[in-house]
Amino acid sequence: MKVFNTALGLVAGCLASTVYASDTAPMSKGEYLTRAADCVACHVVPGGKPYAGGLEFKLPFGSLYSPNITPDKETGIGNWTDDEFVDALQKGVGKDGKHYYPAFPYTSYTLMPREDILAIKGYLFSLEPVKQAPPENKIGFPFNQRWGMMFWNAIFASNERFVPDSKQSAEWNRGAYLVQGPGHCGECHTPRNIFQAMSTGNSLAGAELGNWQAYNISSDAKYGIGAWPEEAIVSYLSKGYAAGFGGAGGPMGDAVEHSLRYLDPADLKAMAVYLKSTPARSEGIPRPSMVMNDAALQKGLGQKLFNDTCVACHQLDGSGRQSPAGGLAGLKTVNDPKGRNLVATLLEGHTPTADRVDQRMPDFARSYSDAELAAVSTFVLRRFGQSNGEVKAEDVAKNRASALH
């Protein structure tokens, strides 16, 4: 996936002038790149102060907590030098010399040049300091031995900067830089191997994220986004939905709200151009056709709950009532036989503050039992998808328990 060739002098300085808003825009280069890198999503807890850290990351070997990256000198990065900040993003090594775990996407940020990283530092240092130390990490032996990351980095971390591909257009190169570098899309959308490194042979093929599934976003027409028009991808990235193609929820919804919707339309288009050129990965959940399954209309509990609660926003024909954001037809979410993102959305909701009220999805975790949510999920899967999926009450209970801990 990473573009490295010998044309080091190609488009000299183009990245620094094309990946952020123009000088006349209200957003500075540093703020723009901080948005593009989606820093706030990982460095804030619900209801907390932006960039103050403390967010828990549940990993196979324990829990990590994001650090405070405000300019507070005691608990944040206020005493960090330029070189220390650059090393953190390019090498995954903190001020104290300790190695970070790849939950921090330095394996992608390493593609960013020093000037872009220092622009981010400049913006972060312009913010109000917040005195807040994160909780101690809960990592057991031997995974708490950070020195071992030296060997991991030697194998899996490149520590190389992005180099434009002379065979591609400036637009493609800009999109490649944003997707691979600050946008770090592969960190969520690429499966990981047993060493928790991104599987380069399956780049952008999709991966599990807790209760959520990050879908295949490669150029494959059936399993990825190869059949999506560029304007649909731009709509999805900027608004969180593309009617008949996809709707962003969970971690992706957060990425849209905190990061992607702030990017220039030209940058979003460049990302779409690049994504549609990536190697096709024929795996994951296929996008369903727009045909509704009338056999699912059997007046059971699932349909009753849908008619009572859901039909006000999601109509039986798969279209959205008040907004196209409520459309269900053509979405992978309704074609996953396990209903992973569907159940997660029902339990957690989706209420981005930037969206209109009629585009927000409330959570139903406290309103309905596991059996009821399983029934309505199964109805949605069979009415709007073609996987003949079924969700059981124990599936919802497992998802619910995971979301609460």
Side-chain angles (χ1 to χ4, degrees):
M1 278 294 297
K2 296 177 181 177
V3 181
F4 299 120
N5 60 41
T6 57
L8 292 174
L10 177 69
V11 199
C14 80
L15 295 177
S17 63
T18 59
V19 297
Y20 57 91
S22 67
D23 293 339
T24 58
M27 203 180 301
S28 68
K29 174 183 178 179
E31 181 179 2
Y32 188 86
L33 287 168
T34 302
R35 292 286 190 185
D38 201 12
C39 301
V40 72
C42 291
H43 293 275
V44 67
V45 296
K49 294 185 177 181
Y51 305 105
L55 186 66
E56 181 182 9
F57 291 84
K58 299 178 182 178
L59 303 174
F61 48 85
S63 290
L64 299 173
Y65 295 88
S66 62
N68 182 338
I69 58 171
T70 73
D72 181 70
K73 293 187 176 182
E74 293 183 32
T75 63
I77 60 172
N79 288 320
W80 285 46
T81 66
D82 288 354
D83 287 344
E84 288 167 343
F85 191 80
V86 171
D87 281 349
L89 271 70
Q90 290 183 346
K91 301 177 182 179
V93 179
K95 178 180 175 62
D96 54 7
K98 291 184 178 179
H99 288 265
Y100 291 119
Y101 295 101
F104 172 53
Y106 64 89
T107 48
S108 294
Y109 291 159
T110 189
L111 295 179
M112 300 175 67
R114 181 182 179 89
E115 57 266 30
D116 283 3
I117 292 174
L118 291 183
I120 291 176
K121 178 177 180 284
Y123 171 69
L124 293 176
F125 270 60
S126 74
L127 303 176
E128 179 182 355
V130 178
K131 189 173 183 178
Q132 175 180 298
E136 290 292 329
N137 292 330
K138 300 174 183 176
I139 305 295
F141 184 85
F143 303 104
N144 60 353
Q145 303 300 302
R146 289 177 180 257
W147 58 266
M149 289 303 300
M150 290 188 296
F151 303 103
W152 190 95
N153 288 337
I155 300 172
F156 300 113
S158 65
N159 189 22
E160 296 183 63
R161 273 15 99 214
F162 177 85
V163 178
D165 187 341
S166 61
K167 297 179 182 179
Q168 300 289 347
S169 68
E171 181 179 51
W172 185 95
N173 276 296
R174 179 172 49 181
Y177 172 72
L178 287 168
V179 168
Q180 296 176 20
H184 62 278
C185 303
E187 301 283 348
C188 289
H189 289 274
T190 297
R192 294 182 179 269
N193 60 28
I194 60 173
F195 301 104
Q196 293 302 300
M198 288 185 286
S199 177
T200 55
N202 288 323
S203 55
L204 306 181
E208 293 185 1
L209 296 173
N211 287 335
W212 295 86
Q213 177 74 32
Y215 294 135
N216 183 330
I217 57 170
S218 76
S219 66
D220 188 86
K222 182 178 181 181
Y223 295 94
I225 58 174
W228 291 37
E230 287 179 8
E231 57 267 25
I233 299 175
V234 171
S235 175
Y236 181 86
L237 296 176
S238 60
K239 300 177 183 177
Y241 69 89
F245 292 95
M252 188 63 202
D254 290 340
V256 172
E257 180 174 14
H258 298 302
S259 172
L260 295 167
R261 70 185 179 94
Y262 292 95
L263 301 191
D264 288 344
D267 281 343
L268 296 176
K269 183 176 181 295
M271 293 173 71
V273 168
Y274 171 71
L275 287 170
K276 286 175 67 69
S277 77
T278 58
R281 310 298 185 188
S282 301
E283 56 187 88
I285 300 164
R287 177 171 169 255
S289 67
M290 304 289 281
V291 178
M292 302 299 104
N293 179 19
D294 290 338
L297 302 175
Q298 297 180 353
K299 300 188 183 302
L301 175 60
Q303 183 178 343
K304 180 182 184 302
L305 291 170
F306 188 90
N307 288 337
D308 290 347
T309 306
C310 310
V311 79
C313 296
H314 312 282
Q315 299 193 95
L316 272 174
D317 65 357
S319 62
R321 185 179 294 275
Q322 300 104 329
S323 165
L328 296 173
L331 308 187
K332 288 184 179 181
T333 300
V334 302
N335 207 40
D336 178 1
K338 296 181 180 180
R340 192 181 189 93
N341 289 2
L342 175 60
V343 172
T345 302
L346 288 171
L347 288 173
E348 300 179 26
H350 179 55
T351 57
T353 56
D355 287 357
R356 303 195 314 258
V357 173
D358 62 354
Q359 294 179 357
R360 301 178 187 178
M361 172 80 176
D363 73 83
F364 295 97
R366 291 162 292 186
S367 305
Y368 292 96
S369 67
D370 295 340
E372 290 171 325
L373 292 178
V376 73
S377 295
T378 298
F379 170 75
V380 169
L381 293 177
R382 295 186 174 179
R383 170 61 176 167
F384 304 108
Q386 287 94 48
S387 68
N388 198 35
E390 179 182 6
V391 176
K392 298 180 179 179
E394 50 263 39
D395 299 326
V396 178
K398 182 179 180 180
N399 189 307
R400 190 193 296 265
S402 177
L404 293 175
H405 295 89

